Amino acid sequence: MEDDAGEQSSFVTGLIQNRAKEVGVAAFDLRSAALHLSQYIETSSSYQNTKTLLHFYDPTVIIVSPNKLAPDGMVGVSELIDRFYPSVRKVVMARGCFDDTKGAVMIKNLAAKEPSALSLDTYYKQYYLCLAAAAAIIKWIEAEKGVIVTNHSLSVTFNGSFDHMNIDATSVRNLEIIEPLHSALWGTSNKKRSLFHMLKTTKTIGGTRLLRANLLQPLKDIETINTRLDCLTKTTGIMVLIAQVEFLNQLDDELMTNEQLFFGLSQFLRKFPKETDRVLCHFCFKPKKVTSKVLDVDNAKKSQTLISSIILLKTALDALPLLAKVLKDAQSFLLANIYRSVCENEKYASIRKRIGEVIDEDVLHARVPFVARTQQCFAIKGGIDGLLDIARRSFCDTSEAVHNLANKYREELKLPNLKLPFNNRQGFYLSIPHKDIQGKLPSTFIQVVKHGNNIHCSTLELASLNVRNKSAAGECYIRTEICLEALVDAIREDVSVLTLLAEVLCLLDMIVNSFAHTISTKPVDRYTRPHFTAHFSTIRVVDRIFTRMGTVDNLESNSSTFMTEMKETAFVMQNVSERSLIVMDELGRATSSSDGFAIAWSCCEHLLSLKA
C-alpha cells in the first residue's frame, strides 16, 4: 500500500439504495484494514442518516452505482454526493460490481473472525445491500491500489452504530464537538475551543482518529461503559455527551495513583512513530509479485515501504517485553485483558523469532532520513544474497565519496562550516552559512537557494554521486524485498494479531496520551466519575442527540427560516425516542421572531409527552 499523507481520512465508502428507502453503506479504512457495514431505512428525504455516517467516516472516495432510480421524494445517493460532497472523489461502478453474493463470499474469506461470530449466515439476507457495497469497494481497492487483500485479515463489523449514539452532522457542529461553531470569526487560534482539539494530545494518527470516532459516535451500552469506567474513573460531568464517550475525559485510577504504570506506558508508546497503525496493517495487503526483472523507481519505492514496515514491526515486537513488564500487575479489566491478549500471545514471539532469522539484530526504526535509508539497505543479514551484497558495497562507496567530496570543498574553498544535509527528495546537498561567503559563490555551485542564514546548493559532481547512490539504494530495496518474500508470507499467516496490536496501540495512545494526560494537568478534584445508580446524580444513556441553534434561511435549498425549522423538526419527530436527548438554544428561542420554531417545538414537546 502507498503511504497515507498526514492525518487525512483513509476511508473508501460505498453507497447503494433500493426503492424501499433502504440504504447500504460499506466503509473500508485503508489505515487499519477495517470494514464497517451498515444497512438501514432512510427515514429522512434529505438523507440525514446517510449524511451522519458520511460525516463520521469523512471518506476520500465514495463509490456509487450508475442507477439513479430513487424512492419517491428522494434524490438518490448519486445525486446526493454531487450536491453535498462535490470535493470528494466520486467513482461510478457498474451495477454488476454491487453483487451481494460475491460480497458475502469475500467477507467470509477476508474477515479475521469466523463468519458465525459475525452472524453473517444468520443475517445474510438482511445485509444484502451493504454486502453488495462491500463487493464493489474491495474490487475497486484491489484494482486501484494494485494489491490483494490478505485472507482473514480484515476487522469486519455489521451495523456497529447500533451500539453507539447517533449524532447528526448539524448537532456535531452545534455542540462544537470537532470544530468551533464560529471558527471563521475566532480564527485559527480558536482550535482549543472544540472538544476534539481540547483532548487531542494523542501521539499517533491512529489514536487521533480513534478519539475523533469516539466523539462522533459515543457508546450507549451501559455494561461496556461501566467496564471502561472501571479502568478510567473520576470523570467530569462537563456534559451528558462526554460521560458516554469511550473512556472520554475519564481519569484512570491506576494511571493516576500508580506513577510507574503511567510513565511505563508513556515510555512504551514513545517507541512508535505517528503512522504505526498503518504500517502494522500494511501486511493485510499483498502487492503484486516482485521479480528481479522489475527494477524501476516505483517498485523500488514500494520495496522501501515494505522494508520500513518490517523494521517497524521488529521495533514493535522488541518493545512488547516492556509492555508486559508494565502491565503485569494491572488490575483494571481493560489493561489486564491487553496483557492477556497481547503480552501472553505466543504468536508475537513466533513472528519475532522469524524476523530475527532474517533481519539484522542491530537494525532499528529511524526517523533521520539518511540513517533510515542506511538501515533499510542493511536490514537483511549479510551473506544471504550475493547481488544484495554487491549493491550494498556500491551504496557504501558512493556515500563515502559524497562525504569525501564535502571535505574537499571545506579545505579547498576555505568553508570549514559547510554541512552536508540529506533529505529523501534532493538526496545530499550543501549548506553554507551566509556569513562565510565572501563575495559570490564559485561557479562550481549550482541550484543556489537562500534558506534563512544559510545558502543551500549543489554541484555537478555531487548531483552525479546522488544519482549513483540513489540507484544503489533502489537496487538494495528490490533485492531485500525478494529476500523477504518468504518472511512476509509467514507474517501474513498471522496477520490478525498485527491488526490487534495496531488497535491496542491506538487505544493506549488515546487513554494515556489524551485522557490520562488531560486529567493529570488539572487539579485533582476537577473531575468526578459519573455513577449510573437511582443514590448519586444520574446520567442517562441516550440513543440520539438532536440540536436546534438559532434561526437562519437556507438559500441553497430555497428554504425560508420557517421551512428550515419545520424540516429539521420533522427529522427530529421521525427519529426521536423516549431515550433521546434534544439540545436547543434557549436564547435563540426566546428572541426568535419566527413563529415557525415555536410551532415546531410545540409539536416536538407534544410528541415527547405522548411517548413518555
Side-chain angles (χ1 to χ4, degrees):
M1 293 293 293
E2 296 177 0
D3 291 349
D4 293 315
E7 296 182 13
Q8 70 179 11
S9 171
S10 53
F11 273 98
V12 177
T13 303
L15 296 177
I16 188 172
Q17 70 179 143
N18 60 19
R19 284 189 172 275
K21 294 188 177 181
E22 281 188 292
V23 177
V25 180
F28 196 119
D29 189 354
L30 294 172
R31 289 193 66 90
S32 60
L35 179 62
H36 307 281
L37 304 175
S38 299
Q39 188 165 322
Y40 50 88
I41 301 291
E42 183 54 86
T43 57
S44 168
S45 61
S46 58
Y47 291 90
Q48 286 291 347
N49 294 320
T50 304
K51 289 179 182 177
T52 297
L53 276 179
L54 290 177
H55 182 75
F56 174 71
Y57 293 126
D58 188 25
T60 56
V61 178
I62 299 178
I63 299 173
V64 296
S65 66
N67 188 0
K68 295 188 177 181
L69 296 178
D72 294 338
M74 302 179 74
V75 298
V77 292
S78 182
E79 188 174 339
L80 173 76
I81 304 307
D82 293 334
R83 184 178 299 181
F84 294 99
Y85 304 94
S87 61
V88 180
R89 179 185 175 189
K90 186 180 84 169
V91 176
V92 179
M93 295 185 68
R95 185 64 182 84
C97 296
F98 290 80
D99 189 322
D100 58 301
T101 303
K102 290 183 179 179
V105 174
M106 285 181 176
I107 298 304
K108 288 181 179 179
N109 292 333
L110 301 179
K113 295 183 179 179
E114 292 295 326
S116 57
L118 297 171
S119 300
L120 180 60
D121 297 329
T122 305
Y123 297 105
Y124 167 74
K125 293 183 178 179
Q126 177 181 345
Y127 292 125
Y128 73 100
L129 281 177
C130 59
L131 288 173
I137 279 186
I138 294 173
K139 184 178 180 67
W140 181 86
I141 288 174
E142 292 188 340
E144 179 78 6
K145 302 295 184 180
V147 298
I148 300 173
V149 182
T150 305
N151 284 343
H152 309 300
S153 66
L154 297 187
S155 172
V156 181
T157 57
F158 282 91
N159 279 335
S161 59
F162 284 175
D163 295 327
H164 294 75
M165 188 194 308
N166 197 336
I167 311 178
D168 62 88
T170 301
S171 297
V172 169
R173 182 178 66 252
N174 290 341
L175 293 173
E176 300 184 298
I177 295 176
I178 302 299
E179 295 292 342
L181 189 58
H182 303 291
S183 56
L185 178 65
W186 291 105
T188 56
S189 62
N190 189 45
K191 284 187 175 182
K192 291 292 182 183
R193 293 180 182 268
S194 76
L195 181 60
F196 173 61
H197 286 100
M198 181 183 74
L199 296 170
K200 185 185 171 185
T201 52
T202 47
K203 305 300 182 183
T204 65
I205 296 175
T208 300
R209 293 192 62 79
L210 182 61
L211 172 64
R212 180 182 182 275
N214 280 279
L215 289 171
L216 290 174
Q217 286 195 343
L219 276 176
K220 65 180 184 182
D221 178 66
I222 294 179
E223 183 178 355
T224 306
I225 291 173
N226 283 326
T227 299
R228 292 173 173 179
L229 282 173
D230 290 339
C231 172
L232 297 156
T233 67
K234 298 181 182 177
T235 309
T236 180
I238 292 178
M239 54 191 292
V240 175
L241 168 66
I242 294 184
Q244 297 177 77
V245 175
E246 293 182 36
F247 309 107
L248 179 57
N249 228 19
Q250 299 158 357
L251 172 60
D252 186 345
D253 194 41
E254 281 192 289
L255 290 177
M256 293 300 104
T257 58
N258 187 340
E259 292 186 359
Q260 185 177 1
L261 176 63
F262 178 78
F263 289 109
L265 287 174
S266 299
Q267 181 183 2
F268 168 76
L269 291 169
R270 280 198 294 269
K271 293 182 176 294
F272 306 99
K274 293 182 66 176
E275 69 278 6
T276 296
D277 63 317
R278 179 194 59 78
V279 172
L280 290 177
C281 293
H282 174 92
F283 301 97
C284 295
F285 305 96
K286 187 175 182 178
K288 295 178 180 179
K289 188 176 180 66
V290 177
T291 65
S292 57
K293 296 180 180 179
V294 186
L295 297 176
D296 57 37
V297 175
D298 291 337
N299 279 283
K301 185 176 180 180
K302 291 179 181 178
S303 300
Q304 183 183 15
T305 301
L306 176 63
I307 299 166
S308 178
S309 299
I310 291 285
I311 293 174
L312 192 140
L313 175 59
K314 174 182 178 295
T315 303
L317 297 179
D318 287 344
L320 286 186
L322 173 60
L323 180 64
K325 181 180 179 181
V326 172
L327 294 182
K328 185 177 182 179
D329 298 321
Q331 299 298 315
S332 64
F333 174 82
L334 176 69
L335 297 180
N337 190 48
I338 291 176
Y339 178 81
R340 289 191 299 270
S341 60
V342 175
C343 301
E344 293 185 340
N345 192 326
E346 295 180 356
K347 289 186 177 181
Y348 293 107
S350 176
I351 296 174
R352 187 182 180 195
K353 181 180 178 181
R354 290 294 301 270
I355 291 176
E357 294 171 355
V358 181
I359 301 296
D360 192 278
E361 183 180 354
D362 297 329
V363 171
L364 296 173
H365 174 76
R367 292 180 173 87
V368 179
F370 185 70
V371 176
R373 173 183 278 192
T374 304
Q375 294 280 313
Q376 291 156 7
C377 288
F378 286 85
I380 297 289
K381 291 182 176 180
I384 292 180
D385 183 273
L387 293 177
L388 174 59
D389 292 339
I390 294 173
R392 284 172 170 173
R393 194 175 303 118
S394 176
F395 173 78
C396 290
D397 290 344
T398 52
S399 299
E400 184 179 2
V402 167
H403 286 85
N404 289 338
L405 182 64
N407 289 330
K408 174 185 174 183
Y409 292 148
R410 292 187 187 100
E411 296 174 1
E412 293 183 354
L413 301 177
K414 300 187 186 318
L415 296 172
N417 297 316
L418 180 147
K419 295 182 179 179
L420 188 68
F422 175 92
N423 62 43
N424 291 323
R425 183 177 62 86
Q426 293 176 269
F428 291 102
Y429 60 95
L430 305 175
S431 178
I432 308 171
H434 195 272
K435 63 180 182 179
D436 290 358
I437 300 174
Q438 303 297 329
K440 292 185 177 180
L441 278 173
S443 57
T444 305
F445 295 101
I446 59 175
Q447 300 173 348
V448 179
V449 177
K450 186 175 181 181
H451 190 272
N453 295 325
N454 299 312
I455 296 294
H456 290 179
C457 56
S458 183
T459 67
L460 292 176
E461 193 173 0
L462 179 59
S464 176
L465 287 173
N466 263 328
V467 171
R468 291 164 55 192
N469 185 262
K470 184 177 181 179
S471 176
E475 190 166 350
C476 286
Y477 299 150
I478 296 291
R479 298 304 311 175
T480 298
E481 180 174 3
I482 294 173
C483 295
L484 289 175
E485 190 171 359
L487 173 62
V488 173
D489 287 341
I491 292 174
R492 287 197 174 104
E493 292 178 2
D494 295 318
V495 71
S496 60
V497 299
L498 299 187
T499 58
L500 172 63
L501 180 58
E503 292 173 4
V504 166
L505 290 174
C506 293
L507 184 60
L508 288 175
D509 181 31
M510 183 174 68
I511 294 173
V512 177
N513 292 325
S514 178
F515 304 150
H517 170 78
T518 300
I519 301 303
S520 67
T521 59
K522 300 293 189 295
V524 70
D525 59 347
R526 176 74 176 272
Y527 298 96
T528 305
R529 170 178 176 166
H531 292 271
F532 296 93
T533 68
H535 300 293
F536 305 96
S537 298
T538 302
I539 300 177
R540 66 186 176 95
V541 175
V542 302
D543 58 355
R544 302 198 70 160
I545 288 184
F546 302 94
T547 61
R548 182 68 181 92
M549 303 285 182
T551 58
V552 64
D553 293 341
N554 191 329
L555 299 179
E556 183 179 3
S557 60
N558 195 28
S559 299
S560 64
T561 298
F562 175 82
M563 184 59 67
T564 301
E565 290 167 349
M566 294 304 293
K567 284 183 177 180
E568 293 183 0
T569 305
F571 170 69
V572 173
M573 293 176 68
Q574 289 172 347
N575 294 276
V576 73
S577 72
E578 66 276 4
R579 296 180 60 202
S580 298
L581 174 68
I582 302 177
V583 182
M584 58 176 290
D585 184 352
E586 288 289 348
L587 181 61
R589 178 186 179 189
T591 59
S592 173
S593 60
S594 169
D595 291 333
F597 183 54
I599 295 172
W601 189 254
S602 296
C603 293
C604 225
E605 287 178 329
H606 178 64
L607 177 64
L608 288 175
S609 67
L610 291 177
K611 290 199 173 188

